[in-house]
Structure formats: C-alpha cells, structure tokens
Amino acid sequence: MLTRRRSLALLAAPALAAVPAFAPAFAQAPFPDQPVRLIVPFAAGGPADIVARLIGQPMGERLRQPVVVDSRSGAGGMVGVEAVARSRPDGLTMVLASTGALTVLPQIMPRIAYDVQKDLAPVTLAVTVPQILVVSPKLGVRSVAELVALAKREPGRLSYGSAGSGSSPHLAGELFRLRTGIDIVHVPYRGAAPAVTDLLAGTIDLLLADVPVVLSHIRGGALPALAVTADRRLAVLPDVPTMAEAGARDVISGTWYALFVPAGTPPDRIAILHDAAAGALRRDEVRRSLAEQGGTAVGGTPAELAAFVRAETTKWGEVIRAADIRID
C-alpha cells in the first residue's frame, strides 16, 4: 500500500531552494579554460531545452566559459543520460536529466545502460513543474469530485492519455487512479501534443499534463482544469485548487529537471558547477520565466538532490508495482 510519508516526497522540493553557504567558497578554484557541454536528452525546442537555455547563459557568465547546449534525444531521455555517464569526469560535460530517465525507466526497462547511483554524480535540482488534471470539455464535469463520482458509476469507461508508457503523465495518472480508487483506462501516445489533441476532440476523457503543455488551452477556455498536483496553488492559475483541496489527497506529481555530471568528477569542480547553476537559478528573470510556465527554480545541494532522487525512486517504484507497469 502506498504510504503517505513517501508520497509526499515531492513536497520537499521547494524546501531545497536555499543555496548552501559552502558553494561560493569554491568559486575561485581552478577550472579548465574550455566550454562546458550541457546535454539535453530531449528534442530541441521542448521544455527541457528551454530550461537548459534559460540557465545555461547565466551559468556561463559565472564560469567565465560558454555553456553549450547539446540535444541528444532518444529512449525517453536515456540516450543523453548514458552519453554523460560515459563521458570523461572532468566537469566539462553535464546533463539536464529528468524524472523518467532517473527514477522511472530504470525500474521498468529490462535492460538499461547506466546505473544512476554509480555512474552519475548530482549537482543540483534545477526546476520542478507540477501537473494539471484537465478533462475533455465534452465530459461535462467541473470538479475532481464529479469526475471521481462519474468514474465510479461507470468503471472502465473513462480513459486518460499520457505521453507514453512510463512517462510522467502515465505515472501521475496511475497515482490518481490508485489514490481515488477508480477504474480508468490508460491510452499512451507518442508525446504529449497528440494526447492534448485527442483530449480536445473528446477521444480521451482526461489527462494529467505538465503545466506548460496545457496552460494556453486552460487560459483560452478550451480545457477545464480541475486540480494541480502540487502542495500549493500556482500563481499562473490561482483559481485552480490543489488535489488535496479538491478531495484527492497525496496526489503529488510532476516533472523535475536536475543537473548531473559523470561519477568521479572532482568535488571541487562539482562545487563550482553547483555555484554557477544556483546563481543562475537565483536570477529574477530566470525565476520569473520559469514561474510563468508553472515551474519553480530550486538550486539545492548535491546531497539534497541525491536524497530527493532516492525518495522519488521509492515513491514511483511503489506506483509501478501497484499498477504493474512494465515495458518489454
């Protein structure tokens, strides 16, 4: 049975926002006079790419070296993560990895080419983005309570979309299903965009999507937003209740992005990279740009990121086993 304590792991993210005092002490340590490559394991132009470019430039200013964003998409982010895991541990190669490739796919894939704990070293948790429960306008429900009541009256009729099996929206949908005790059918898509298209058309009934994916549709009135999967309401959607406020407790989920380097990277270089990343995430314009898309800049210590990843792995592992999620 899913435990309340573990399901609240994501609540800890805002508390990591304080930047540690030790980092600036390393700011003058020697660093190679070479560009730093920041691998984004998703396609250019997507949310991860946007985050990387938002923080890459101010990081480069602090490092006095250019930070070059390099897209390496494929296999749900695993291609880019593997590339960094196999890179030279000199501090010149980082990856902006996310939820799936670090905590979900390693638990549902039969074979994976890297070990998160052994092959990667944490730098900082950069950004957290919660999800929004949206429904088809044809469904005729305007609250989580109405949705749950309908699903319980007609078990197995309602369907929810995702960006693919094992994706963050898939896990969020299963968490919502388990917490509310409803029977709904998963419909995987090849990305979030086609899922949103079918939701608008009424082909599927609901979707738990990252805020930026559906924000314009919510603001335009095309998609009813029932709840946000965070512990507090979002400034960009202040009228949308949290899941707890809507009556669905412990449905805390989202996508997060974190910086890692290859294991074996010298601690002083990790500290320099952390200082640069945390400084970038403190910038008003960066925090404002992220907040406009429903994201929260974090910037915690490497140790805090390591603990966060362990907690997330445990949490989603319980959902994976309870829902019997697997990829052959």
Side-chain angles (χ1 to χ4, degrees):
M1 182 174 181
L2 299 179
T3 62
R4 172 176 170 80
R5 178 171 57 83
R6 288 174 176 170
S7 71
L8 294 178
L10 199 57
L11 286 172
L16 304 184
V19 177
F22 72 83
F26 291 95
Q28 301 303 316
F31 197 81
D33 185 19
Q34 298 177 49
V36 176
R37 185 170 54 142
L38 175 53
I39 290 181
V40 176
F42 299 99
D49 183 68
I50 292 171
V51 170
R53 294 181 190 281
L54 271 175
I55 66 176
Q57 182 175 345
M59 279 189 70
E61 293 172 5
R62 295 180 70 88
L63 292 169
R64 298 183 181 179
Q65 303 295 337
V67 173
V68 180
V69 177
D70 180 3
S71 295
R72 295 281 191 93
S73 61
M78 292 192 296
V79 170
V81 173
E82 182 186 356
V84 171
R86 302 290 175 251
S87 296
R88 180 177 296 179
D90 53 11
L92 296 176
T93 304
M94 300 182 293
V95 63
L96 186 71
S98 64
T99 318
L102 295 177
T103 64
V104 176
L105 294 177
Q107 300 190 76
I108 62 178
M109 296 288 289
R111 290 178 298 278
I112 192 166
Y114 55 86
D115 184 311
V116 175
Q117 300 298 326
K118 295 179 180 178
D119 297 330
L120 297 170
V123 178
T124 191
L125 178 61
V127 181
T128 61
V129 183
Q131 287 152 336
I132 295 281
L133 172 60
V134 287
V135 295
S136 167
K138 296 182 179 181
L139 198 59
V141 300
R142 290 295 182 269
S143 70
V144 171
E146 290 181 11
L147 175 63
V148 170
L150 175 60
K152 288 187 174 180
R153 283 198 307 270
E154 303 181 52
R157 183 177 80 82
L158 300 186
S159 60
Y160 76 96
S162 79
S165 295
S167 65
S168 180
H170 179 198
L171 272 291
E174 286 301 310
L175 181 62
F176 178 65
R177 181 183 68 80
L178 291 164
R179 290 286 188 237
T180 56
I182 59 177
D183 180 8
I184 52 178
V185 179
H186 175 225
V187 181
Y189 289 84
R190 300 187 65 146
V196 172
T197 298
D198 272 8
L199 183 67
L200 289 164
T203 305
I204 57 175
D205 300 302
L206 59 134
L207 175 68
L208 280 140
D210 290 357
V211 176
V213 174
V214 291
L215 185 58
S216 63
H217 297 294
I218 295 170
R219 285 174 166 168
L223 287 176
L226 304 189
V228 58
T229 62
D231 66 324
R232 64 192 68 182
R233 296 192 184 198
L234 300 178
V236 291
L237 294 170
D239 295 330
V240 178
T242 66
M243 279 285 189
E245 290 173 330
R249 298 182 62 81
D250 298 341
V251 183
I252 303 292
S253 65
T255 297
W256 45 264
Y257 301 97
L259 291 172
F260 285 80
V261 291
T265 300
D268 61 337
R269 292 193 179 176
I270 292 177
I272 293 170
L273 292 172
H274 171 271
D275 179 47
L281 290 163
R282 282 196 301 265
R283 288 200 175 186
D284 289 342
E285 64 272 23
V286 172
R287 300 178 76 86
R288 185 167 52 249
S289 294
L290 292 170
E292 287 171 355
Q293 296 298 315
T296 300
V298 187
T301 67
E304 288 170 327
L305 173 55
F308 178 74
V309 170
R310 288 194 297 269
E312 285 284 279
T313 299
T314 299
K315 170 184 174 176
W316 294 119
E318 292 182 345
V319 175
I320 288 164
R321 290 187 294 273
D324 193 25
I325 299 172
R326 64 187 72 185
I327 296 178
D328 296 326

